[in-house]
Amino acid sequence: MSPIAVGGPALFIGTDTDYVALVRPELDPADPGVRLAAEQAGVTPEELAGPGDTWAVLFQHGGEGDGFELPGVRDAEPADFAERLRAGLAAADGPFTVDGGAALRLDARPAGADDYAFTAHITPPDDAATPLTVETGPLPAAALLTDLDAFLGSLA
């Protein structure tokens, strides 16, 4: 289960303290915080919430984290990333890499009989000179495959 709640499709890889997530957040115009922010901004809650079509990368390493938006990314690109990650896990024949473009690359390696550990290479678009690396501990491949199926289903 993901420690982040975004209200939209989310692919979470990691633990509570070390993770990378590919998300398309959706704001709820009925949420009291959204309503208050809209009032303070002088717009309707629906205008503030917007269409919920902007993808983002969120990450945390050792309790420190942040995120950034991926302007112009359409649902097909995160779906392709998830499908390639799913194929690598399903093959279970050793290390593999899933390239998500300039902002995200995921290196996977076996970490036990049925587990994989990941190294996420993250490059914020507005700070390409400062790439980040997040290492996850061993994660059960079966649980990740279930999460990938749910993520892909949320995009269908």
Side-chain angles (χ1 to χ4, degrees), residues 30-51:
D31 180 274
V34 172
R35 297 181 74 69
L36 178 61
E39 182 180 322
Q40 291 173 344
V43 298
T44 68
E46 292 75 18
E47 286 175 302
L48 182 67

Side-chain angles (χ1 to χ4, degrees), residues 14-54:
T15 65
D16 289 346
T17 58
D18 297 288
Y19 66 80
V20 63
L22 188 56
V23 302
R24 190 184 71 204
E26 292 179 6
L27 298 177
D28 180 1
D31 180 274
V34 172
R35 297 181 74 69
L36 178 61
E39 182 180 322
Q40 291 173 344
V43 298
T44 68
E46 292 75 18
E47 286 175 302
L48 182 67
D53 61 358
T54 301

Side-chain angles (χ1 to χ4, degrees), residues 47-123:
E47 286 175 302
L48 182 67
D53 61 358
T54 301
W55 284 92
V57 172
L58 305 179
F59 57 89
Q60 184 168 310
H61 179 62
E64 302 274 327
D66 203 354
F68 52 87
E69 290 185 353
L70 299 169
V73 170
R74 298 172 313 178
D75 288 358
E77 294 164 87
D80 178 61
F81 181 84
E83 287 168 354
R84 289 183 287 126
L85 177 55
R86 189 182 196 306
L89 287 170
D93 62 357
F96 63 93
T97 297
V98 180
D99 189 348
L104 177 63
R105 187 181 84 238
L106 196 62
D107 294 330
R109 64 194 174 284
D114 298 320
D115 296 346
Y116 268 83
F118 297 90
T119 302
H121 303 277
I122 303 163
T123 306

